[in-house]
């Protein structure tokens, strides 16, 4: 096939990009070369619309061993231990084929982690679906959850946390973001940078098929009515093979054979080989006849662009081939020497004794397009002047029950019960809490982790929303008694060629960076997912933040469940009663305008560090951060978790009781303390200039709010736990 401009456009390249390719090569590329360019220059692989702005992110910190630029980020957790972690999107594939899309998303992120020498110890996810009333939502949710559980459970890696939301903006583009943490010794971290000339290039894992071809390009495209035609671009996963690959790779890594290693993820053999060569400033030569294929008569084009799963590319030390092959034979995996490193600084491909492609590496990496796209700044919306007369007919307890049963607030137990969250035997805190917690095996240390996003806040004002989601992650880690260390991000947005969407991205990144810097909470890895758009309608900006923190002694962990009747309940942090963009305003008053709550980074840091001090001093019995739904929703979730009741005192503050109980002011926590420790707690809070309100006490079972009818804890449990189960059963 003779390549022309239209064929290039069909490959997802712009006209001007095709012209640039021809100018760089000083000729027209052949079809295989065009396929390689289209894979490496698409948005998913090249970050051509985001690179300029991602450079602004705070990526340095005293605990950072490896920041962005590798398969995953790495942080120091003391005692020669390190945590490798990353979050990544698999949005488009999951919308097309939910089970395999979600499953291979989990498989891909685990390979990113164990490629660096780490054994995966925990999985998380951030999944977002359209309106519950949309005809596709239920089946998409069912398929995605089965895919996540099907892969993670078979791998024997616990899924210990996550987040699920519903919003009509995801009707045409669901989001599936998968996160994995792995544990490694600091002297056993492996990188993807190739080194040395004439070193053998090894292919290991599963055979190459025709599944997933153009998967990376599809992830950089907008959906239309022909979405069903894209199913062949979705990869097919095999977790049992990945488990074998994990064990084989870790066994080989225990020696000194590996120079560099890279998983074959997006763009498959193309991206893995080129990235290894580019980082090492080398060339690479591949004989595609040696690539193990499971289908007959595969072409060089198909072999290079296949995204078949459970495959790795390794550069070995000379003379180590037999030793390595023995290991992969033992695990019943393919092992093939398919090429070598060179000094040409080119990728050269051979097939049937013919050279079928020759491209200078820098044309694919350094010369990939970088766009400084136009963007539009979002104005801070005016505050809503709520008609307080609308509140008079409302009962707090009735509003509370309704809020607890909303799709985005209700218990997600139906989801996480399908995940194995205790396998490996080190899970200390399972899903359904502020953070998941796993013990560092054989030690007293534990790692806390959570994943958060806030599309409504980001849509209303992206820079504020970006700051907020970082702070939410910070608070979730602190609430269990961990010291926050670093974050990974998955930035999900619409078409970057639209100024509004690009502006949302730029400002969210700026907000994330501002909070990250102030909190000393660096970004060490991540992913950008653009073009989440169908028929010209994009998603709300949805940056997902995965946070990791350290607990030096897991026995000091704090949980969110209320413990004992007569214990006091305090709200820590100032409550101003911000209702704009709140769950209350949107779902009770049907008011969707207004600004998100202001983020005061000084208060966030000061309040969080003070909560950690209270935990360290053994002065609190339970902690939960205040987020969606405000104070009363936070207390209710603590009560549901502990199967206790609570009594809230009559307000002594100047704000309206609905503002106070349902406002979503940031930087706040609910703490439970013993009455005899009140003076000690007050001394620390006042000493750090932290505002607090003594708002009530724990009861045995009754829910008492001012003069309203008394509820029983079972009423709240029923309100919170029934929606999702009933929705999926009907």
């Amino acid at each position: 096939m003779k390549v022309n401009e239209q064929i290039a456009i069909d490959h997802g390249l712009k006209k001007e990009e095709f012209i640039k390719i021809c100018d760089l090569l000083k000729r027209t590329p052949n079809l295989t070369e065009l396929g390689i360019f289209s894979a490496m220059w698409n948005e998913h692989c090249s970050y051509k619309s985001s690179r300029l702005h991602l450079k602004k992110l705070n990526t340095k910190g005293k605990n950072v061993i490896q920041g962005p630029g590798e398969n995953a980020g790495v942080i120091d957790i003391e005692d020669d231990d390190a945590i490798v972690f990353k979050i990544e999107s698999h949005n488009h594939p999951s919308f097309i084929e939910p089970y395999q899309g979600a499953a291979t998303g989990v498989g891909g992120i685990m390979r990113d982690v164990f490629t660096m020498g780490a054994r995966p110890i925990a999985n998380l996810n951030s999944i977002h679906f359209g309106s519950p009333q949309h005809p596709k939502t239920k089946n998409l949710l069912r398929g995605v959850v089965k895919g996540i559980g099907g892969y993670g459970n078979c791998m024997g890696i616990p899924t210990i946390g996550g987040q699920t939301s519903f919003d009509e903006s995801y009707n045409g583009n669901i989001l599936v973001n998968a996160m994995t943490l792995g544990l490694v010794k600091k002297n056993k971290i492996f990188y993807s940078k190739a080194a040395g000339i004439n070193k053998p290039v090894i292919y290991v894992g599963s055979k190459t098929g025709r599944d997933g071809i153009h998967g990376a390009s599809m992830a950089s495209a907008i959906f239309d009515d022909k979405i069903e035609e894209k199913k062949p671009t979705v990869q097919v996963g095999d977790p049992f093979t990945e488990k074998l690959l994990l064990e084989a790779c870790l066994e080989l890594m225990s020696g000194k054979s590996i120079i560099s290693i890279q998983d074959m993820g997006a763009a498959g053999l193309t991206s893995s080989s080129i990235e290894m060569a580019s980082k090492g400033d080398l060339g690479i030569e591949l004989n595609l006849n040696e690539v193990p294929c499971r289908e007959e008569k595969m072409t060089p084009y198909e072999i290079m662009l296949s995204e078949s799963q459970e495959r790795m590319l390794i550069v070995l030390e000379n003379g180590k081939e037999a030793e390595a092959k023995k290991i992969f034979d033992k695990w019943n995996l393919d092992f093939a020497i398919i090429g070598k490193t060179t000094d040409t600084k080119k990728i050269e491909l051979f097939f049937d004794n013919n050279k079928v492609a020759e491209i200078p590496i820098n044309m694919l990496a350094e010369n990939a397009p970088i766009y400084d796209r136009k963007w539009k700044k979002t104005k801070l919306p005016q505050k809503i002047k709520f008609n307080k007369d609308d509140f008079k007919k409302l009962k707090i307890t009735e509003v509370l029950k309704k809020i607890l049963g909303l799709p985005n607030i209700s218990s997600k137990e139906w989801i996480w019960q399908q995940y194995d969250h205790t396998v490996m035997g080190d899970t200390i805190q399972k899903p359904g809490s502020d953070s998941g917690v796993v013990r560092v095996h054989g030690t007293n240390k534990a790692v806390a982790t959570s994943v958060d996003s806030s599309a409504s806040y980001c849509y209303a004002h992206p820079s504020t929303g970006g700051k907020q989601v970082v702070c939410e992650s910070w608070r979730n880690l602190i609430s269990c008694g961990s010291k926050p260390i670093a974050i990974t991000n998955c930035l999900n947005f619409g078409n970057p060629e639209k100024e509004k969407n690009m502006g949302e991205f730029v400002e969210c990144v700026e907000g994330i960076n501002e909070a990250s810097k102030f909190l000393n909470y660096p970004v060490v890895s991540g992913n950008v997912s653009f073009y989440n758009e169908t028929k010209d309608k994009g998603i709300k900006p949805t940056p997902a933040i995965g946070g990791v923190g350290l607990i030096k002694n897991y026995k000091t962990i704090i949980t969110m469940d209320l413990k004992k009747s007569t214990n006091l309940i305090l709200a820590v942090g100032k409550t101003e009663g911000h209702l704009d963009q709140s769950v209350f305003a949107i779902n009770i008053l049907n008011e969707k305008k207004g600004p998100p709550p202001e983020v005061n980074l000084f208060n966030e840091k000061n309040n969080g560090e003070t909560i950690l001090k209270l935990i360290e001093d053994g002065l609190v019995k339970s902690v939960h951060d205040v987020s969606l739904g405000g104070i009363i929703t936070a207390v209710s979730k603590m009560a549901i978790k502990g199967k206790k009741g609570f009594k809230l005192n009559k307000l002594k503050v100047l704000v309206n009781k609905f503002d106070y109980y349902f406002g979503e002011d940031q930087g706040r926590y609910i703490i439970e303390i013993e009455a005899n420790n009140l003076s000690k707690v007050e001394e620390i809070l006042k000493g750090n200039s932290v505002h607090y309100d003594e708002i009530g006490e724990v009861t045995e079972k009754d829910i008492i709010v001012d003069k309203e009818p008394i509820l029983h804890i079972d009423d709240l449990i029923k309100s919170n736990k029934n929606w999702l189960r009933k929705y999926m059963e009907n």
Side-chain angles (χ1 to χ4, degrees), residues 379-385 580 593-595:
K379 292 182 180 178
L380 185 68
Q382 292 291 315
K383 288 201 72 171
I384 303 298
K385 293 182 179 178
D580 301 67
K593 297 179 180 178

Side-chain angles (χ1 to χ4, degrees), residues 41 215 228 270 327 337 381 386 461 464 501-502 576 650 660:
W41 282 20
E228 292 297 318
T270 290
I327 291 172
I337 303 170
F386 295 99
H461 193 243
T464 302
N501 292 346
M502 193 66 206
E576 302 286 353
K650 187 176 181 180
Y660 187 84

Side-chain angles (χ1 to χ4, degrees), residues 452-472:
D452 301 279
S453 69
S454 184
S456 293
Y457 290 173
C458 291
Y459 184 68
H461 193 243
S463 63
T464 302
K467 284 190 284 188
Q468 186 277 332
V469 71
V470 173
C471 294
E472 172 74 4

Side-chain angles (χ1 to χ4, degrees), residues 57-285:
L57 289 172
N58 170 43
T59 61
K60 307 291 186 183
K62 67 176 185 178
N63 290 85
V64 177
I65 296 173
Q66 175 65 54
E70 267 294 339
N71 288 292
V74 188
I75 56 172
D76 187 340
I77 60 164
E78 303 178 0
D79 308 310
D80 293 325
D81 293 321
I83 293 292
V84 179
F85 68 108
K86 188 183 182 184
I87 188 170
E88 198 161 61
S89 64
H90 228 222
N91 303 334
H92 285 53
S94 300
F95 187 62
I96 298 168
E97 212 301 299
Y99 182 92
Q100 289 295 350
T104 52
V106 173
I109 195 64
M110 282 197 281
R111 285 197 304 279
D112 280 341
V113 167
F114 74 75
T115 297
M116 299 194 69
R119 179 173 291 278
I121 59 172
N123 289 333
L124 300 92
N125 54 77
S126 178
I127 52 179
H128 304 261
F129 300 90
S131 165
Q133 288 74 45
H134 193 274
K136 286 188 175 182
T137 296
K138 190 179 295 184
N139 284 334
L140 287 168
L141 173 61
R142 183 177 285 112
V144 165
V145 170
K146 284 186 176 180
I148 292 171
Y151 209 102
N153 294 353
C154 290
M155 284 289 294
I157 310 300
T159 299
I160 65 168
Q163 175 202 20
T164 305
S165 77
F166 300 86
D167 187 275
E168 63 181 6
S169 78
Y170 308 116
N171 283 350
N173 285 88
I174 66 171
L175 302 182
V176 176
N177 297 173
M179 179 176 170
T180 293
L181 282 69
L183 179 67
V184 66
K185 291 295 181 182
K186 286 188 284 188
N187 65 347
K188 280 293 184 180
I189 301 168
F190 287 81
Y191 298 94
S192 58
K193 178 181 176 180
I197 307 300
N198 290 322
K199 302 295 184 181
V201 176
I202 312 298
Y203 173 116
V204 299
S206 290
K207 287 180 169 60
T208 295
R210 290 188 170 94
D211 55 313
I213 293 174
H214 294 302
S217 299
M218 177 271 293
S220 304
I222 295 169
F223 286 152
D224 53 28
D225 291 325
K226 298 180 179 178
I227 183 176
E228 292 297 318
E229 297 176 9
K230 299 182 185 289
K231 278 193 176 183
T233 65
V234 179
Q235 310 95 324
V236 177
D238 180 356
F240 299 103
T241 298
E242 178 134 327
K243 174 64 173 173
L244 299 178
L245 184 62
L246 162 67
E247 299 301 338
C249 287
L250 292 182
E251 184 174 341
L252 183 62
M253 288 167 168
S254 66
K256 297 181 179 180
S257 304
I258 298 175
I259 295 173
S260 65
I261 181 168
Q262 177 76 42
D263 83 293
M264 295 190 219
L269 186 54
T270 290
S271 62
S272 57
S273 58
I274 291 166
E275 287 175 13
M276 292 171 84
S278 175
K279 289 175 181 177
D281 197 28
L282 297 171
I284 192 164
E285 180 182 299

Side-chain angles (χ1 to χ4, degrees), residues 447-492:
V447 175
T449 182
S450 72
V451 61
D452 301 279
S453 69
S454 184
S456 293
Y457 290 173
C458 291
Y459 184 68
H461 193 243
S463 63
T464 302
K467 284 190 284 188
Q468 186 277 332
V469 71
V470 173
C471 294
E472 172 74 4
S473 170
W474 166 269
R475 292 196 299 272
N476 279 335
L477 295 181
I478 282 176
S479 294
C480 69
S482 75
K483 172 67 177 173
I485 296 176
I487 59 178
T488 181
N489 59 40
C490 193
L491 308 177
N492 307 277

Side-chain angles (χ1 to χ4, degrees), residues 384-522:
I384 303 298
K385 293 182 179 178
F386 295 99
N387 183 355
K388 297 302 171 77
D389 288 338
D390 293 340
F391 296 172
K392 292 179 180 178
K393 57 189 176 185
L394 298 174
K395 296 288 186 183
I396 286 177
T397 49
E398 291 303 309
V399 171
L400 175 62
K401 286 195 293 181
K402 183 176 179 178
I403 284 176
L404 288 172
L406 291 171
N408 288 341
I409 304 295
S410 64
S411 169
K412 304 305 183 295
E413 197 170 339
W414 180 88
I415 294 173
W416 56 258
Q417 281 187 336
Q418 298 181 57
Y419 306 148
D420 191 336
H421 43 265
T422 59
V423 65
M424 299 179 75
D426 284 315
T427 302
I428 296 173
Q429 187 152 278
K430 61 187 183 182
S433 302
D434 288 304
S435 300
V437 182
V438 288
R439 185 178 64 140
V440 177
H441 193 75
T443 76
N444 286 330
K445 293 186 298 189
V447 175
T449 182
S450 72
V451 61
D452 301 279
S453 69
S454 184
S456 293
Y457 290 173
C458 291
Y459 184 68
H461 193 243
S463 63
T464 302
K467 284 190 284 188
Q468 186 277 332
V469 71
V470 173
C471 294
E472 172 74 4
S473 170
W474 166 269
R475 292 196 299 272
N476 279 335
L477 295 181
I478 282 176
S479 294
C480 69
S482 75
K483 172 67 177 173
I485 296 176
I487 59 178
T488 181
N489 59 40
C490 193
L491 308 177
N492 307 277
F493 291 81
N495 183 354
E497 297 166 48
K498 295 180 178 179
E499 291 185 20
K500 182 179 184 298
N501 292 346
M502 193 66 206
E504 290 171 342
F505 173 79
V506 172
E507 292 190 278
C508 272
V509 168
E510 289 175 350
I512 290 169
N513 182 54
E514 186 179 346
S516 167
K517 276 187 176 178
F518 196 93
L519 298 174
N520 299 317
Y521 198 30

